[in-house]
Amino acid sequence: MNRSENILPSVVDAIGATPLVQLNRITRGMPGRILAKLEYFNPGLSKKDRIARQIIEDAEADGSLRPGQTVVELTSGNMGTGLALVCGSKGYPFVAVMSRGNSAERARMMAALGAEVVLVAQLPGGKPGQVSGGDLDLVEQEAQRIVRERDGFRADQFNNAGNARAHFLHTGPEIIRQSAGRLDAFCDFVGSGGSFAGCAAAFKQYKPAIRCFVVEPAGAAVLAGEPASNPQHRIQGGGYSRPQLPLIKPEHIDGYIQVTDDEATHMARRLAREEGIFAGFSSGANVAAAMKLLEGRCRGQSIAVLINDSALKYLSTDLFD
Ligand SMILES: Cc1ncc(COP(=O)(O)O)c(C=O)c1O
């Protein structure tokens, strides 16, 4: 028997190539389908491992990251986890700067992976689990201070083109291959916008008719041009009420969908109970938005979504109460 080994040199090489699953139970009786890309199969349990690897390897290649230099990043937890495992495996010290409003298990996971975690207090009146754009501005200021103090390398997920490139080179093409190109639409809850930007660019390059929709929290749909009347929503990881996201190309946006906290939570619970998919608030938001498309603008069509992270990251919250 010809046996060949199939062993990866490091956990960094285990990032990507995640499964694509059709949500047959949630969509029972409806025409069309929802294809869910299970990004919690990545080693850090989220899609952000992909961009952590891309940003660090791009910076190694172009010399902007020196051997042994400290890496610093603002994170809602997932990017920090991805960077913690990539930096840990490659030998860079890593400082994760996060709002106290994000769930505690994220900080513990990053610390366990060797990161130095700096927690930044929320604005007066801020509630745990509800990180606003204002809270994020404070985290940004602290991240910038630490970069200056330590002469650090800032991964800068909101501006670094490697963020979108990871999804353009990998996530999007994987979905195209796995669905044999039978795809009509994509919708994505936006934080930095990197996933939307990269996947939309890959889909439009493959087939310009694939429609791409931005998903935002109801009450914080600033990209759709609405005022931020409820910036303190509960969909962690995005919806920061930032009207400008440098990575997103406006010509790739075919429409906007809004999802309430209750819709996102309810769908995350249905995903767990009916599909065995154990995912967080923003994954619930993506599937809730895809259901709206299937019932309306994309009736009968094939829609792809990302399942962004694992619900293990929210066990301290009331997501499953
Ligand atoms: C759980 C979760 N959902 C959604 C997002 C938003 O993804 P992106 O920054 O690619 O827009 C993030 C980003 O941190 C996240 O952690």
Side-chain angles (χ1 to χ4, degrees):
M1 192 159 84
N2 180 15
R3 291 195 206 163
S4 60
E5 289 190 339
N6 183 11
I7 300 170
L8 301 174
S10 86
V11 79
V12 175
D13 298 275
I15 294 171
T18 56
L20 188 68
V21 174
Q22 186 165 329
L23 303 182
N24 279 326
R25 279 142 288 273
I26 281 177
T27 59
R28 186 173 289 131
M30 297 171 74
R33 65 181 186 179
I34 298 175
L35 305 176
K37 183 100 170 122
L38 304 189
E39 288 295 300
Y40 58 71
F41 271 70
N42 284 302
L45 314 182
S46 95
K47 64 179 178 178
K48 291 284 177 169
D49 292 1
R50 295 178 183 267
I51 75 170
R53 177 181 59 183
Q54 191 77 43
I55 287 174
I56 294 300
E57 291 186 350
D58 284 358
E60 286 176 330
D62 71 16
S64 53
L65 175 60
R66 299 187 304 274
Q69 191 179 7
T70 297
V71 174
V72 181
E73 185 58 327
L74 163 159
T75 175
S76 66
N78 283 332
M79 178 62 175
T81 300
L83 280 169
L85 66 89
V86 171
C87 290
S89 148
K90 287 174 174 281
Y92 301 98
F94 171 57
V95 183
V97 193
M98 186 173 92
S99 170
R100 270 193 200 282
N102 290 117
S103 59
E105 48 274 66
R106 296 167 177 237
R108 296 179 81 163
M109 186 169 177
M110 289 189 284
L113 287 164
E116 178 183 336
V117 181
V118 175
L119 292 178
V120 179
Q122 291 182 273
L123 286 169
K127 294 198 191 103
Q130 300 179 346
V131 178
S132 68
D135 293 329
L136 210 64
D137 290 341
L138 297 179
V139 182
E140 173 62 37
Q141 285 165 24
E142 181 61 6
Q144 288 183 9
R145 195 191 63 74
I146 295 170
V147 169
R148 282 194 304 274
E149 186 181 276
R150 312 234 185 141
D151 186 23
F153 170 82
R154 176 70 193 273
D156 201 6
Q157 58 170 317
F158 277 84
N159 296 295
N160 191 315
N163 176 351
R165 193 160 51 250
H167 297 292
F168 175 71
L169 293 175
H170 303 291
T171 322
E174 285 174 25
I175 293 172
I176 294 168
R177 276 196 303 276
Q178 289 167 306
S179 64
R182 293 190 197 99
L183 186 68
D184 303 300
F186 169 67
C187 63
D188 194 45
F189 179 76
V190 166
S192 69
S195 309
F196 178 88
C199 290
F203 296 150
K204 299 278 183 193
Q205 184 184 68
Y206 172 70
K207 199 201 289 180
I210 296 177
R211 287 188 289 170
C212 298
F213 297 87
V214 160
V215 181
E216 295 183 283
V222 297
L223 294 172
E226 298 198 5
S229 55
N230 176 27
Q232 286 176 323
H233 61 86
R234 298 176 55 219
I235 311 174
Q236 293 187 38
Y240 297 122
S241 314
R242 292 189 167 185
Q244 246 76 51
L245 291 176
L247 299 176
I248 292 186
K249 289 201 167 71
E251 64 268 28
H252 286 165
I253 304 177
D254 293 293
Y256 301 87
I257 310 165
Q258 296 178 24
V259 174
T260 66
D261 288 352
D262 283 350
E263 287 170 335
T265 305
H266 178 68
M267 191 54 79
R269 292 175 182 165
R270 287 193 65 189
L271 278 170
R273 266 198 315 269
E274 297 175 39
E275 303 280 354
I277 291 175
F278 195 48
F281 290 97
S282 70
S283 308
N286 279 346
V287 176
M291 289 290 271
K292 291 183 189 205
L293 287 175
L294 218 49
E295 289 161 352
R297 283 174 273 186
C298 299
R299 217 183 143 67
Q301 295 194 331
S302 172
I303 306 171
V305 293
L306 303 183
I307 299 298
N308 296 315
D309 66 358
S310 166
L312 288 172
K313 303 198 180 207
Y314 305 90
L315 287 180
S316 71
T317 76
D318 61 356
L319 179 54
F320 295 103
D321 284 356

